[in-house]
Amino acid sequence: MPGSRTRRPPVQRAVGRPAAARPPRQDSARRLVIRARKAWDRPLTAYYLVLGGSLLITVLGLVMVYSASQITALQMALPGSYFFRKQLLAAVIGSGLLFAASRMPVKLHRALAYPILAGAVFLMALVQVPGIGMSVNGNQNWISVGGSFQIQPSEIGKLALVLWGADLLARKQERKLLTQWKHMLVPLVPAAFILLGLIMLGGDMGTAMILTAILFGLLWLAGAPTRLFVGVLSIASAIGALLIKTSPNRMDRLACIGATDLGPGGTCWQAVHGIYALASGGIFGSGLGASVEKWGQLPEAHTDFIFAVTGEELGLAGTLSVLALFAALGYAGIRVAGRTEDPFVRYAAGGVTTWITAQAVINIGAVLGLLPIAGVPLPLFSYGGSALLPTMFAIGLLIAFARDEPGARAALAMRQPRFGRKRAGGSASGRGSDRGPRRWNTMRRRASAARSSGER
């Protein structure tokens, strides 16, 4: 053929196909949203969020307690790791309580409600006995148990109100009594007021605010009407205003909201230096252990104001991470409470979520200068074994409730362990062995047992 040295016909090039149009960004964003929704809707999402979020908060809290408490310990002529070792011991004991609570059946949780309430009331009354109760920072709400260890019974009161209130409302709902306002209020509100009165005898306004939030959370979950909410809220607000007005210390704290200077006599010292710590952290912080405010400038750096030290050393990234973990924990608790059909689980999960969320908001709001300083620790994060142990038990409650969901139960049963399988000898496929691999899956074993031999 002319024009071809190899006597072959010329190769005709294929007509090029037009390039496929790239999907618009809106489709990619939509697919991403759909995948995220599917991930959030998985049966074990709440279980992993509660377990993973609480463990991350606790571990990060241990790191920050070690960093924030070293200078305070040295100033008290104690080893630098003194407060860290005590917090680590409390975290180990709390992990045992968390595991035990996560494995308890719901009936056992309900059976523990009344003993825990009776024990909390007894200990809170014991605080007011001279020679037994201790005063810390002006609040008479501690009991010494020997050596350097103290317990704060009001922290147990939070757990008692959640369990007892959930059991009470669940029994009344089963009898269809919650449609009457007197059954909704009595005896829940009087018992809560008894706990609040015992707390206020010691002057602990912050813990009283958290118990009030738990009470309102339980009433809201029970379906209390708006006028009932307004009435109880009006009474609580009037009592709170009276207690604040009659206390110069509380009035000074109220005046320090949004303060930018120390004020007369340094009344806003703690609030202002907390803002200084956050402002000097920047985006990524000055580095772990490099805080300046913890060197005697910021009071309670390892307890009530540990979030300020976190912002100074880990920056905005660290504080936003802590907020994201608490947000995930709150979302998981709301999801557990919203998806269950057991009224006790709904009330208890909602009460625990209200407790942890309200306490975190009060603590972080005080550090940011948006709320008055209430003197409450950041849950699972601040130093304090008395606060850590009941909170970890409450987290165990959420884990138990998340595991007990029908979808979560089935998903956990379908999971196969990675280890523990015996490999068959002989060929690679395992057919050369007389004994096959051991089947560990429970649901598969049940299905095989139920199947007749003729179906194989």
Side-chain angles (χ1 to χ4, degrees):
M1 182 176 295
S4 176
R5 297 181 180 179
T6 58
R7 305 283 183 180
R8 294 178 182 177
V11 178
Q12 296 182 357
R13 298 180 179 179
V15 179
R17 296 180 179 178
R22 294 182 179 180
R25 294 183 179 180
Q26 294 181 355
D27 293 343
S28 301
R30 186 179 301 174
R31 286 197 298 268
L32 185 62
V33 171
I34 293 174
R35 291 180 181 178
R37 287 180 178 177
K38 289 182 179 179
W40 283 111
D41 289 337
R42 290 178 181 176
L44 292 176
T45 298
Y47 170 74
Y48 286 129
L49 282 178
V50 175
L51 180 60
S54 58
L55 290 180
L56 286 175
I57 294 173
T58 305
V59 172
L60 183 57
L62 286 172
V63 174
M64 293 311 304
V65 164
Y66 180 66
S67 174
S69 65
Q70 287 182 344
I71 307 303
T72 304
L74 293 176
Q75 289 175 346
M76 299 172 62
L78 296 171
S81 60
Y82 174 78
F83 293 105
F84 168 75
R85 284 180 293 170
K86 292 184 64 176
Q87 186 74 356
L88 180 61
L89 176 62
V92 172
I93 299 174
S95 299
L97 292 176
L98 185 149
F99 179 78
S102 66
R103 294 294 177 175
M104 288 182 185
V106 174
K107 291 183 179 180
L108 184 55
H109 287 305
R110 300 186 68 168
L112 290 175
Y114 282 87
I116 292 178
L117 178 65
V121 172
F122 174 74
L123 291 175
M124 291 167 68
L126 205 62
V127 168
Q128 307 304 322
V129 178
I132 298 179
M134 294 179 58
S135 178
V136 178
N137 294 331
N139 292 337
Q140 184 83 10
N141 53 4
W142 295 85
I143 296 177
S144 177
V145 294
S148 60
F149 292 92
Q150 302 93 24
I151 61 172
Q152 189 175 4
S154 57
E155 295 291 338
I156 307 175
K158 301 174 186 176
L159 179 63
L161 181 60
V162 168
L163 286 177
W164 177 78
D167 178 69
L168 176 69
L169 293 175
R171 286 189 288 107
K172 290 197 173 188
Q173 181 174 338
E174 292 169 358
R175 299 176 184 177
K176 299 180 180 180
L177 298 175
L178 291 181
T179 54
Q180 305 176 26
W181 67 269
K182 60 181 180 179
H183 284 286
M184 187 174 294
L185 294 181
V186 180
L188 177 62
V189 175
F193 280 2
I194 291 175
L195 294 175
L196 290 171
L198 291 172
I199 291 174
M200 290 309 301
L201 283 176
D204 192 355
M205 187 78 176
T207 305
M209 293 170 59
I210 298 170
L211 254 73
T212 305
I214 295 174
L215 174 63
F216 279 108
L218 292 174
L219 290 176
W220 182 79
L221 290 169
T226 306
R227 60 178 179 273
L228 191 62
F229 258 110
V230 173
V232 178
L233 182 60
S234 301
I235 297 174
S237 300
I239 296 174
L242 179 63
L243 293 173
I244 292 174
K245 190 70 175 178
T246 56
S247 174
N249 184 27
R250 297 189 186 113
M251 288 297 296
D252 291 339
R253 292 185 178 186
L254 190 64
C256 290
I257 297 178
T260 56
D261 54 15
L262 301 180
T267 55
C268 299
W269 179 280
Q270 188 177 23
V272 172
H273 278 275
I275 298 297
Y276 288 168
L278 291 171
S280 60
I283 302 297
F284 297 106
S286 57
L288 190 62
S291 171
V292 176
E293 291 293 332
K294 68 183 181 182
W295 286 76
Q297 301 295 325
L298 181 63
E300 307 296 336
H302 60 297
T303 54
D304 301 343
F305 271 68
I306 194 171
F307 188 77
V309 179
T310 304
E312 186 179 3
E313 295 188 350
L314 303 183
L316 181 64
T319 54
L320 289 181
S321 300
V322 175
L323 291 176
L325 290 174
F326 276 109
L329 195 59
Y331 166 81
I334 293 173
R335 171 170 167 164
V336 171
R339 293 196 174 190
T340 184
E341 296 180 357
D342 189 338
F344 172 78
V345 173
R346 180 170 64 254
Y347 295 134
V352 171
T353 306
T354 305
W355 164 13
I356 295 176
T357 305
Q359 187 165 332
V361 169
I362 292 173
N363 178 275
I364 296 174
V367 175
L368 296 176
L370 303 176
L371 295 174
I373 299 175
V376 296
L378 190 58
L380 302 172
F381 201 82
S382 296
Y383 169 79
S386 296
L388 183 63
L389 296 182
T391 306
M392 294 193 76
F393 187 90
I395 293 295
L397 287 177
L398 286 181
I399 293 175
F401 298 155
R403 288 169 54 94
D404 202 45
E405 291 183 6
R409 245 189 346 255
L412 288 172
M414 288 295 294
R415 291 194 313 178
Q416 298 180 0
R418 296 182 180 180
F419 305 101
R421 293 180 176 273
K422 295 183 179 180
R423 295 183 179 180
S427 62
S429 61
R431 296 179 180 178
S433 174
D434 295 335
R435 185 179 180 181
R438 184 177 178 181
R439 290 177 297 180
W440 292 89
N441 191 286
T442 306
M443 295 185 67
R444 185 179 298 175
R445 185 165 61 249
R446 291 177 181 174
S448 300
R451 186 187 302 159
S452 63
S453 58
E455 294 178 358
R456 294 185 178 273

